[in-house]
Amino acid sequence: MADVAISVPVAPTPGVFRRLLKRKLAVFGLIVIALIVFAAVFAPWIVPYNPDEQFFEGLTLEGAPLAPNVQFWFGTDLVGRDLLSRIIYGARTSLIIGVIANGVSVLIGSAVGITAGYFKGWVSTVLMRFTDLMMAFPALLLAIVLAAIFRPSLLIVAMVIAMVNWVQIARVLYTETRSLAERDFVEAERALGAGTFRILTRHIFPHLVSTIVVYATLGIATTVLLEATLSYLGIGVQPPTASWGNIIFENQTYFTSAPWLVFIPGFAIILLALAFNLVGDALRDILDPTQQGHH
């Protein structure tokens, strides 16, 4: 019976959400995420104008962007497009890439980390040496190289980011899985003739759910920032597709005369990344068994 008690996993429960709502910063993060997701999903119905439409009245007589006004709430960009509409569509781009890229990186990292942690010998050695090799390269530099090799598109950018973001979660899950694999309840299952699949799915993976959830949440913030960086450098999402990073890239020459063209998308990037970080940090505190009862 003692072994059964030990094997009960610390996993997310319905009470986690209630505890999350007791944290003001986490609630702020959830509200920001909900608003941005709403704007991204319903973008075609809530944007005031087509994000790619160029307005003759959207430029001054000298051909400069318009400042925020009654018609264009966030002003216009250097070719007369409504900045508010492009910001809203840029949210859709950031979230699509964030969810796809982070989802793939979590799957890859989880598979590598759990496999390397459970199996010993050459399997563990090969997988973790490869992980160490990937960690040796700066993520941004590696992403730039991969993005330069492939023709940038929404899917390619997501896959490039996924290829450089899986190593952290793989390393963490490797350590946790290796520790779990040596626990008494796992040894007892092996003695009873349980197969590898049963042990991994019934006794090891449930213990790792909390870690995966936290890293999946925090990872979206990293993904959004990396996508914006690649788009700003011109090797991410390509115009005319709206992305917060390429909006800054396209309008940076007007930084001194039309600073809103840089500050507004920059603020959007920071706000979304901050929101996911706040929620992820709160989840880490709540789901970490060493923090139970301290909040």
Coordinates of all heavy atoms in Angstrom, one line a residue, residues 70-160:
V70 N -9.5 60.4 -35.0 CA -10.9 59.8 -34.9 C -11.1 58.7 -35.9 O -11.7 57.7 -35.6 CB -11.9 60.9 -35.1 CG1 -13.3 60.3 -35.0 CG2 -11.8 62.0 -34.0
Q71 N -10.6 58.9 -37.1 CA -10.8 57.9 -38.2 C -9.9 56.7 -38.0 O -10.3 55.6 -38.1 CB -10.6 58.5 -39.6 CG -10.8 57.5 -40.7 CD -10.6 58.2 -42.1 OE1 -10.3 59.3 -42.2 NE2 -10.9 57.4 -43.1
F72 N -8.6 57.0 -37.7 CA -7.6 55.9 -37.5 C -7.1 56.0 -36.1 O -6.2 56.8 -35.8 CB -6.4 56.1 -38.5 CG -6.9 56.1 -40.0 CD1 -6.9 57.3 -40.7 CD2 -7.3 54.9 -40.6 CE1 -7.3 57.3 -42.0 CE2 -7.7 55.0 -41.9 CZ -7.7 56.2 -42.7
W73 N -7.7 55.2 -35.2 CA -7.4 55.3 -33.8 C -5.9 55.2 -33.4 O -5.4 55.8 -32.5 CB -8.2 54.3 -33.0 CG -9.7 54.5 -33.0 CD1 -10.3 55.5 -33.7 CD2 -10.7 53.8 -32.3 NE1 -11.7 55.5 -33.5 CE2 -11.9 54.5 -32.6 CE3 -10.7 52.7 -31.4 CZ2 -13.1 54.0 -32.1 CZ3 -11.9 52.3 -30.9 CH2 -13.1 52.9 -31.2
F74 N -5.2 54.3 -34.1 CA -3.8 54.1 -33.9 C -2.9 54.8 -34.9 O -1.7 54.6 -35.0 CB -3.4 52.6 -33.8 CG -3.8 51.9 -32.5 CD1 -4.5 52.6 -31.5 CD2 -3.5 50.6 -32.3 CE1 -4.9 52.0 -30.4 CE2 -3.9 50.0 -31.1 CZ -4.6 50.6 -30.2
G75 N -3.5 55.6 -35.8 CA -2.8 56.2 -36.9 C -2.7 55.3 -38.0 O -3.3 54.2 -38.1
T76 N -1.8 55.7 -39.0 CA -1.6 54.9 -40.2 C -0.1 54.6 -40.3 O 0.8 55.3 -39.7 CB -2.1 55.6 -41.4 OG1 -1.4 56.8 -41.6 CG2 -3.6 55.8 -41.4
D77 N 0.3 53.6 -41.1 CA 1.7 53.3 -41.3 C 2.2 54.1 -42.5 O 1.6 55.0 -43.1 CB 1.9 51.8 -41.5 CG 1.3 51.2 -42.7 OD1 0.7 52.0 -43.5 OD2 1.3 50.0 -42.9
L78 N 3.4 53.8 -43.0 CA 4.1 54.6 -44.0 C 3.5 54.5 -45.4 O 3.8 55.3 -46.2 CB 5.6 54.2 -44.1 CG 6.0 52.9 -44.7 CD1 7.5 52.9 -44.9 CD2 5.5 51.7 -43.9
V79 N 2.6 53.5 -45.6 CA 1.9 53.4 -46.9 C 0.4 53.7 -46.7 O -0.4 53.4 -47.6 CB 2.1 52.1 -47.6 CG1 3.6 51.9 -48.0 CG2 1.7 50.9 -46.7
G80 N 0.0 54.2 -45.6 CA -1.4 54.6 -45.4 C -2.4 53.5 -45.0 O -3.6 53.7 -45.1
R81 N -1.9 52.4 -44.4 CA -2.7 51.4 -43.9 C -3.1 51.6 -42.4 O -2.3 52.2 -41.7 CB -2.0 50.0 -44.0 CG -1.8 49.6 -45.4 CD -1.0 48.3 -45.5 NE 0.4 48.5 -45.0 CZ 1.3 47.6 -45.2 NH1 1.1 46.5 -45.8 NH2 2.5 47.8 -44.6
D82 N -4.3 51.2 -42.0 CA -4.7 51.4 -40.6 C -3.9 50.6 -39.7 O -3.9 49.3 -39.8 CB -6.2 51.1 -40.5 CG -6.7 51.3 -39.1 OD1 -6.5 52.3 -38.5 OD2 -7.3 50.3 -38.6
L83 N -3.2 51.2 -38.7 CA -2.4 50.5 -37.8 C -3.2 49.6 -36.9 O -2.7 48.5 -36.5 CB -1.5 51.5 -37.0 CG -0.4 50.8 -36.1 CD1 0.5 50.0 -36.9 CD2 0.3 51.9 -35.3
L84 N -4.3 50.0 -36.4 CA -5.1 49.3 -35.5 C -5.5 47.9 -36.1 O -5.4 46.9 -35.5 CB -6.4 50.0 -35.1 CG -7.4 49.3 -34.2 CD1 -6.8 48.8 -32.9 CD2 -8.6 50.1 -33.9
S85 N -5.9 48.0 -37.4 CA -6.3 46.7 -38.0 C -5.1 45.8 -38.2 O -5.2 44.6 -38.0 CB -6.9 47.0 -39.4 OG -8.0 47.9 -39.3
R86 N -4.0 46.3 -38.5 CA -2.8 45.5 -38.6 C -2.3 44.9 -37.3 O -1.8 43.8 -37.2 CB -1.7 46.3 -39.3 CG -2.0 46.6 -40.8 CD -0.8 47.2 -41.5 NE 0.3 46.3 -41.6 CZ 0.4 45.3 -42.5 NH1 -0.7 45.0 -43.3 NH2 1.4 44.5 -42.6
I87 N -2.5 45.7 -36.2 CA -2.1 45.2 -34.9 C -3.0 44.0 -34.5 O -2.5 43.0 -34.0 CB -2.2 46.3 -33.8 CG1 -1.2 47.4 -34.0 CG2 -2.2 45.8 -32.4 CD1 0.2 46.9 -33.7
I88 N -4.3 44.1 -34.8 CA -5.2 43.1 -34.4 C -4.9 41.8 -35.2 O -4.9 40.7 -34.7 CB -6.7 43.5 -34.7 CG1 -7.1 44.6 -33.7 CG2 -7.6 42.3 -34.5 CD1 -8.4 45.2 -33.9
Y89 N -4.6 42.0 -36.5 CA -4.3 40.8 -37.3 C -2.9 40.3 -36.9 O -2.6 39.1 -37.1 CB -4.3 41.1 -38.8 CG -5.6 40.8 -39.5 CD1 -6.7 41.7 -39.4 CD2 -5.8 39.6 -40.1 CE1 -7.9 41.4 -40.0 CE2 -7.1 39.3 -40.7 CZ -8.1 40.2 -40.6 OH -9.3 39.9 -41.2
G90 N -2.0 41.2 -36.5 CA -0.7 40.7 -36.0 C -0.8 39.8 -34.7 O 0.0 38.9 -34.5
A91 N -1.9 40.1 -33.9 CA -2.1 39.2 -32.8 C -2.4 37.8 -33.2 O -2.0 36.8 -32.6 CB -3.3 39.8 -31.9
R92 N -3.2 37.7 -34.3 CA -3.6 36.4 -34.8 C -2.3 35.7 -35.2 O -2.1 34.5 -34.9 CB -4.5 36.6 -36.0 CG -4.7 35.3 -36.8 CD -5.7 35.5 -37.9 NE -7.1 35.6 -37.4 CZ -8.2 35.5 -38.2 NH1 -8.1 35.4 -39.5 NH2 -9.4 35.5 -37.6
T93 N -1.4 36.4 -35.9 CA -0.1 35.8 -36.4 C 0.7 35.3 -35.2 O 1.2 34.2 -35.2 CB 0.7 36.8 -37.2 OG1 -0.1 37.2 -38.3 CG2 2.0 36.1 -37.7
S94 N 0.9 36.1 -34.2 CA 1.7 35.8 -33.0 C 1.1 34.6 -32.3 O 1.9 33.7 -31.8 CB 1.8 37.0 -32.1 OG 2.5 38.0 -32.7
L95 N -0.2 34.5 -32.1 CA -0.8 33.4 -31.4 C -0.8 32.1 -32.2 O -0.5 31.1 -31.6 CB -2.3 33.8 -31.0 CG -2.5 34.8 -29.9 CD1 -3.9 35.2 -29.8 CD2 -1.9 34.3 -28.6
I96 N -1.0 32.2 -33.5 CA -0.9 31.0 -34.3 C 0.5 30.4 -34.2 O 0.7 29.2 -33.9 CB -1.3 31.3 -35.7 CG1 -2.8 31.6 -35.9 CG2 -0.9 30.1 -36.6 CD1 -3.2 32.0 -37.3
I97 N 1.5 31.2 -34.4 CA 2.9 30.8 -34.3 C 3.2 30.3 -32.9 O 3.9 29.3 -32.7 CB 3.9 31.8 -34.8 CG1 3.7 32.1 -36.3 CG2 5.3 31.5 -34.4 CD1 4.6 33.1 -36.9
G98 N 2.7 31.1 -31.9 CA 3.0 30.7 -30.5 C 2.5 29.4 -30.1 O 3.2 28.6 -29.5
V99 N 1.2 29.1 -30.5 CA 0.6 27.8 -30.2 C 1.2 26.7 -30.9 O 1.6 25.6 -30.4 CB -0.9 27.9 -30.4 CG1 -1.6 26.5 -30.3 CG2 -1.6 28.9 -29.5
I100 N 1.4 26.8 -32.3 CA 1.9 25.8 -33.1 C 3.4 25.5 -32.7 O 3.8 24.3 -32.4 CB 1.9 26.1 -34.6 CG1 0.4 26.2 -35.0 CG2 2.6 25.1 -35.4 CD1 0.2 26.6 -36.5
A101 N 4.2 26.5 -32.7 CA 5.6 26.3 -32.4 C 5.8 25.8 -31.0 O 6.6 24.8 -30.8 CB 6.4 27.7 -32.6
N102 N 5.1 26.4 -30.0 CA 5.4 25.9 -28.7 C 4.8 24.5 -28.5 O 5.4 23.7 -27.7 CB 4.7 26.9 -27.7 CG 5.2 26.7 -26.3 OD1 6.4 26.7 -26.0 ND2 4.3 26.5 -25.3
G103 N 3.7 24.2 -29.1 CA 3.1 22.9 -29.0 C 4.0 21.8 -29.6 O 4.3 20.8 -28.9
V104 N 4.6 22.1 -30.7 CA 5.6 21.1 -31.3 C 6.8 21.0 -30.5 O 7.3 19.9 -30.2 CB 6.0 21.6 -32.8 CG1 7.1 20.7 -33.3 CG2 4.7 21.5 -33.7
S105 N 7.3 22.1 -29.9 CA 8.6 22.1 -29.1 C 8.3 21.3 -27.8 O 9.2 20.6 -27.4 CB 9.1 23.5 -28.8 OG 8.2 24.2 -28.0
V106 N 7.1 21.4 -27.2 CA 6.8 20.7 -26.0 C 6.7 19.2 -26.3 O 7.2 18.4 -25.6 CB 5.5 21.2 -25.4 CG1 5.0 20.2 -24.3 CG2 5.7 22.6 -24.8
L107 N 6.1 18.8 -27.5 CA 6.0 17.4 -27.9 C 7.4 16.8 -28.1 O 7.7 15.7 -27.6 CB 5.2 17.3 -29.1 CG 3.7 17.5 -29.0 CD1 3.0 17.4 -30.4 CD2 3.1 16.5 -28.0
I108 N 8.2 17.5 -28.8 CA 9.6 17.0 -29.1 C 10.4 16.9 -27.8 O 11.0 15.9 -27.5 CB 10.3 18.0 -30.1 CG1 9.7 17.9 -31.4 CG2 11.8 17.5 -30.2 CD1 10.2 18.9 -32.4
G109 N 10.4 18.0 -27.0 CA 11.1 18.0 -25.7 C 10.6 17.0 -24.8 O 11.5 16.3 -24.1
S110 N 9.3 16.8 -24.7 CA 8.8 15.7 -23.8 C 9.2 14.4 -24.2 O 9.6 13.5 -23.4 CB 7.3 15.8 -23.7 OG 6.8 17.1 -23.2
A111 N 9.1 14.1 -25.5 CA 9.5 12.8 -26.1 C 11.0 12.5 -25.8 O 11.3 11.4 -25.3 CB 9.2 12.7 -27.5
V112 N 11.8 13.5 -26.1 CA 13.3 13.3 -25.9 C 13.6 13.1 -24.4 O 14.3 12.2 -24.0 CB 14.0 14.4 -26.5 CG1 15.5 14.4 -26.1 CG2 13.9 14.5 -28.0
G113 N 13.1 14.0 -23.6 CA 13.4 14.0 -22.2 C 12.9 12.8 -21.5 O 13.7 12.2 -20.7
I114 N 11.7 12.3 -21.7 CA 11.1 11.2 -21.1 C 11.8 9.9 -21.5 O 12.2 9.0 -20.7 CB 9.6 11.1 -21.3 CG1 8.9 12.3 -20.6 CG2 9.1 9.8 -20.7 CD1 7.4 12.4 -20.9
T115 N 12.1 9.8 -22.8 CA 12.7 8.6 -23.4 C 14.2 8.5 -22.8 O 14.6 7.4 -22.4 CB 12.8 8.7 -24.9 OG1 11.4 8.8 -25.4 CG2 13.4 7.4 -25.5
A116 N 14.9 9.6 -22.8 CA 16.3 9.6 -22.3 C 16.3 9.3 -20.9 O 17.2 8.7 -20.4 CB 17.0 10.9 -22.7
G117 N 15.3 9.8 -20.1 CA 15.3 9.6 -18.7 C 14.9 8.2 -18.2 O 15.4 7.7 -17.2
Y118 N 14.1 7.6 -19.0 CA 13.6 6.2 -18.6 C 14.6 5.1 -19.1 O 14.9 4.2 -18.4 CB 12.2 6.0 -19.2 CG 11.7 4.6 -18.8 CD1 11.1 4.5 -17.5 CD2 11.7 3.5 -19.6 CE1 10.6 3.2 -17.1 CE2 11.2 2.3 -19.2 CZ 10.7 2.2 -18.0 OH 10.2 0.9 -17.6
F119 N 15.0 5.3 -20.3 CA 15.9 4.2 -20.9 C 17.4 4.6 -20.6 O 17.8 5.7 -20.8 CB 15.7 4.1 -22.4 CG 14.4 3.6 -22.8 CD1 13.4 4.5 -23.2 CD2 14.1 2.2 -22.7 CE1 12.2 4.0 -23.6 CE2 12.8 1.8 -23.1 CZ 11.9 2.7 -23.5
K120 N 18.1 3.7 -20.2 CA 19.5 3.9 -19.9 C 20.4 3.4 -21.0 O 19.9 2.9 -22.0 CB 19.9 3.2 -18.6 CG 19.1 3.7 -17.4 CD 19.5 3.0 -16.1 CE 18.7 3.5 -14.9 NZ 19.0 2.7 -13.7
G121 N 21.7 3.6 -20.9 CA 22.6 3.1 -21.9 C 22.7 4.1 -23.1 O 22.7 5.3 -22.9
W122 N 22.9 3.5 -24.3 CA 23.2 4.3 -25.5 C 22.1 5.2 -25.9 O 22.3 6.3 -26.4 CB 23.6 3.4 -26.6 CG 22.5 2.6 -27.2 CD1 22.2 1.3 -26.8 CD2 21.6 2.9 -28.2 NE1 21.1 0.8 -27.5 CE2 20.8 1.8 -28.4 CE3 21.5 4.1 -29.0 CZ2 19.7 1.8 -29.4 CZ3 20.4 4.1 -29.9 CH2 19.6 3.0 -30.1
V123 N 20.8 4.8 -25.6 CA 19.7 5.6 -26.0 C 19.7 6.9 -25.2 O 19.6 8.0 -25.8 CB 18.3 4.9 -25.7 CG1 17.2 5.8 -25.9 CG2 18.2 3.6 -26.5
S124 N 19.9 6.9 -23.9 CA 20.0 8.1 -23.1 C 21.2 8.9 -23.5 O 21.1 10.1 -23.6 CB 20.1 7.7 -21.6 OG 20.2 8.8 -20.8
T125 N 22.3 8.3 -23.7 CA 23.5 9.0 -24.0 C 23.4 9.8 -25.4 O 23.7 11.0 -25.4 CB 24.7 8.0 -24.1 OG1 24.9 7.4 -22.9 CG2 26.0 8.8 -24.5
V126 N 22.9 9.1 -26.4 CA 22.7 9.7 -27.7 C 21.8 10.9 -27.6 O 22.1 12.0 -28.1 CB 22.3 8.7 -28.8 CG1 21.9 9.4 -30.1 CG2 23.4 7.7 -29.0
L127 N 20.6 10.7 -27.0 CA 19.6 11.8 -27.0 C 20.1 13.0 -26.2 O 19.9 14.1 -26.6 CB 18.3 11.2 -26.3 CG 17.5 10.2 -27.2 CD1 16.3 9.7 -26.5 CD2 17.1 10.9 -28.5
M128 N 20.7 12.8 -25.0 CA 21.1 13.9 -24.2 C 22.4 14.6 -24.8 O 22.5 15.8 -24.6 CB 21.4 13.4 -22.8 CG 20.1 12.9 -22.1 SD 18.7 14.0 -22.4 CE 19.1 15.6 -21.7
R129 N 23.3 13.9 -25.5 CA 24.4 14.5 -26.1 C 23.9 15.4 -27.2 O 24.4 16.5 -27.5 CB 25.4 13.5 -26.6 CG 26.1 12.7 -25.5 CD 26.9 13.5 -24.6 NE 26.2 14.2 -23.6 CZ 25.6 13.7 -22.5 NH1 25.7 12.4 -22.3 NH2 24.9 14.4 -21.6
F130 N 22.9 14.9 -27.9 CA 22.3 15.8 -29.0 C 21.6 17.0 -28.4 O 21.7 18.1 -29.0 CB 21.3 14.9 -29.8 CG 20.6 15.7 -30.9 CD1 21.3 16.2 -32.0 CD2 19.2 16.0 -30.8 CE1 20.6 16.9 -33.0 CE2 18.6 16.8 -31.7 CZ 19.3 17.2 -32.9
T131 N 20.9 16.8 -27.3 CA 20.3 17.9 -26.6 C 21.4 18.9 -26.1 O 21.2 20.2 -26.3 CB 19.5 17.4 -25.4 OG1 18.5 16.5 -25.8 CG2 18.8 18.6 -24.7
D132 N 22.5 18.5 -25.6 CA 23.6 19.3 -25.2 C 24.1 20.1 -26.4 O 24.5 21.3 -26.3 CB 24.7 18.5 -24.5 CG 24.2 18.0 -23.2 OD1 23.2 18.5 -22.6 OD2 24.8 17.0 -22.7
L133 N 24.2 19.4 -27.5 CA 24.7 20.1 -28.7 C 23.8 21.2 -29.2 O 24.3 22.3 -29.5 CB 24.9 19.0 -29.8 CG 25.4 19.5 -31.2 CD1 26.8 20.1 -31.1 CD2 25.3 18.4 -32.3
M134 N 22.5 21.0 -29.1 CA 21.6 22.0 -29.5 C 21.6 23.2 -28.5 O 21.5 24.3 -28.9 CB 20.1 21.4 -29.5 CG 19.9 20.4 -30.6 SD 20.0 21.1 -32.3 CE 18.5 22.2 -32.3
M135 N 21.8 22.9 -27.2 CA 21.9 23.9 -26.2 C 23.1 24.8 -26.4 O 23.2 25.9 -25.9 CB 21.8 23.3 -24.8 CG 20.5 22.7 -24.5 SD 20.4 22.1 -22.8 CE 20.3 23.7 -21.9
A136 N 24.2 24.2 -27.0 CA 25.4 24.9 -27.2 C 25.3 26.1 -28.1 O 26.0 27.1 -28.1 CB 26.5 24.0 -27.6
F137 N 24.3 26.0 -29.1 CA 24.1 27.0 -30.0 C 23.1 28.1 -29.5 O 22.1 27.7 -28.9 CB 23.5 26.5 -31.3 CG 24.4 25.7 -32.1 CD1 24.4 24.3 -32.0 CD2 25.3 26.2 -33.0 CE1 25.3 23.5 -32.8 CE2 26.2 25.5 -33.8 CZ 26.2 24.1 -33.7
P138 N 23.4 29.4 -29.6 CA 22.5 30.4 -29.2 C 21.2 30.2 -30.0 O 21.2 30.1 -31.2 CB 23.2 31.7 -29.6 CG 24.6 31.4 -29.6 CD 24.7 30.0 -30.1
A139 N 20.0 30.2 -29.3 CA 18.8 29.9 -29.9 C 18.4 30.9 -31.0 O 18.0 30.5 -32.1 CB 17.6 29.9 -28.9
L140 N 18.7 32.2 -30.8 CA 18.4 33.2 -31.8 C 19.2 33.0 -33.0 O 18.7 33.1 -34.2 CB 18.5 34.6 -31.2 CG 18.3 35.8 -32.2 CD1 16.8 35.7 -32.8 CD2 18.5 37.1 -31.5
L141 N 20.5 32.8 -32.8 CA 21.4 32.6 -34.0 C 21.0 31.4 -34.8 O 21.0 31.4 -36.0 CB 22.9 32.5 -33.5 CG 23.9 32.3 -34.6 CD1 23.9 33.5 -35.5 CD2 25.3 32.1 -33.9
L142 N 20.7 30.3 -34.1 CA 20.3 29.1 -34.8 C 19.0 29.3 -35.6 O 18.8 28.8 -36.7 CB 20.1 27.9 -33.8 CG 19.8 26.5 -34.4 CD1 20.9 26.1 -35.4 CD2 19.6 25.5 -33.3
A143 N 18.0 30.0 -35.0 CA 16.8 30.3 -35.6 C 17.0 31.2 -36.9 O 16.3 31.0 -37.9 CB 15.8 31.0 -34.6
I144 N 17.9 32.1 -36.8 CA 18.2 33.0 -37.9 C 18.8 32.2 -39.1 O 18.4 32.3 -40.2 CB 19.2 34.1 -37.5 CG1 18.5 35.1 -36.6 CG2 19.8 34.8 -38.7 CD1 19.5 36.1 -36.0
V145 N 19.7 31.2 -38.7 CA 20.3 30.4 -39.8 C 19.2 29.5 -40.4 O 19.1 29.4 -41.7 CB 21.4 29.5 -39.2 CG1 21.9 28.5 -40.2 CG2 22.5 30.4 -38.7
L146 N 18.4 28.9 -39.6 CA 17.3 28.0 -40.2 C 16.3 28.8 -41.0 O 15.9 28.3 -42.1 CB 16.6 27.3 -39.1 CG 17.5 26.2 -38.3 CD1 16.7 25.7 -37.1 CD2 17.9 25.1 -39.2
A147 N 16.0 30.0 -40.5 CA 15.0 30.8 -41.2 C 15.6 31.3 -42.6 O 14.8 31.5 -43.5 CB 14.6 32.0 -40.4
A148 N 16.9 31.5 -42.6 CA 17.5 32.0 -43.8 C 17.6 30.9 -44.8 O 17.6 31.1 -46.1 CB 18.9 32.5 -43.5
I149 N 17.7 29.6 -44.4 CA 17.8 28.5 -45.3 C 16.5 28.2 -46.0 O 16.4 28.0 -47.2 CB 18.3 27.2 -44.5 CG1 19.7 27.4 -44.0 CG2 18.2 26.0 -45.4 CD1 20.3 26.3 -43.1
F150 N 15.4 28.2 -45.2 CA 14.1 27.9 -45.7 C 13.4 29.2 -46.1 O 13.6 30.3 -45.5 CB 13.3 27.1 -44.7 CG 13.9 25.8 -44.3 CD1 14.6 25.7 -43.1 CD2 13.8 24.7 -45.1 CE1 15.1 24.5 -42.7 CE2 14.4 23.5 -44.7 CZ 15.0 23.4 -43.5
R151 N 12.5 29.1 -47.0 CA 11.7 30.3 -47.4 C 10.7 30.6 -46.3 O 9.8 29.8 -46.0 CB 10.9 30.0 -48.7 CG 10.2 31.1 -49.3 CD 9.5 30.8 -50.6 NE 8.7 31.9 -51.1 CZ 7.9 31.9 -52.2 NH1 7.8 30.7 -52.8 NH2 7.2 32.9 -52.5
P152 N 10.8 31.8 -45.8 CA 9.9 32.1 -44.6 C 8.4 32.1 -45.0 O 8.0 32.6 -46.0 CB 10.4 33.6 -44.2 CG 11.8 33.7 -44.8 CD 11.7 32.9 -46.1
S153 N 7.7 31.5 -44.1 CA 6.2 31.5 -44.2 C 5.7 31.3 -42.7 O 6.5 31.0 -41.8 CB 5.7 30.4 -45.1 OG 5.9 29.1 -44.6
L154 N 4.4 31.4 -42.6 CA 3.8 31.2 -41.2 C 4.2 29.8 -40.6 O 4.7 29.7 -39.5 CB 2.3 31.3 -41.3 CG 1.6 31.8 -40.0 CD1 2.0 33.2 -39.6 CD2 0.1 31.7 -40.2
L155 N 4.1 28.8 -41.4 CA 4.4 27.4 -40.9 C 5.9 27.2 -40.7 O 6.3 26.6 -39.7 CB 3.8 26.4 -41.9 CG 4.0 24.9 -41.5 CD1 3.3 24.7 -40.1 CD2 3.4 24.0 -42.5
I156 N 6.7 27.7 -41.7 CA 8.1 27.5 -41.6 C 8.7 28.2 -40.4 O 9.5 27.7 -39.6 CB 8.8 28.0 -42.9 CG1 8.5 27.1 -44.1 CG2 10.3 28.1 -42.7 CD1 9.0 25.7 -43.9
V157 N 8.2 29.5 -40.1 CA 8.7 30.2 -38.9 C 8.3 29.4 -37.7 O 9.1 29.4 -36.7 CB 8.1 31.6 -38.9 CG1 8.4 32.3 -37.6 CG2 8.6 32.5 -40.1
A158 N 7.1 28.9 -37.6 CA 6.7 28.1 -36.4 C 7.6 26.9 -36.3 O 8.0 26.6 -35.1 CB 5.2 27.7 -36.6
M159 N 7.9 26.2 -37.3 CA 8.7 25.0 -37.2 C 10.2 25.4 -36.8 O 10.8 24.6 -36.1 CB 8.7 24.2 -38.5 CG 7.4 23.6 -38.9 SD 6.8 22.4 -37.6 CE 5.6 23.4 -36.8
V160 N 10.7 26.5 -37.4 CA 12.0 26.9 -37.0 C 12.1 27.2 -35.5 O 13.1 26.8 -34.8 CB 12.4 28.2 -37.8 CG1 13.6 28.9 -37.2 CG2 12.7 27.8 -39.3

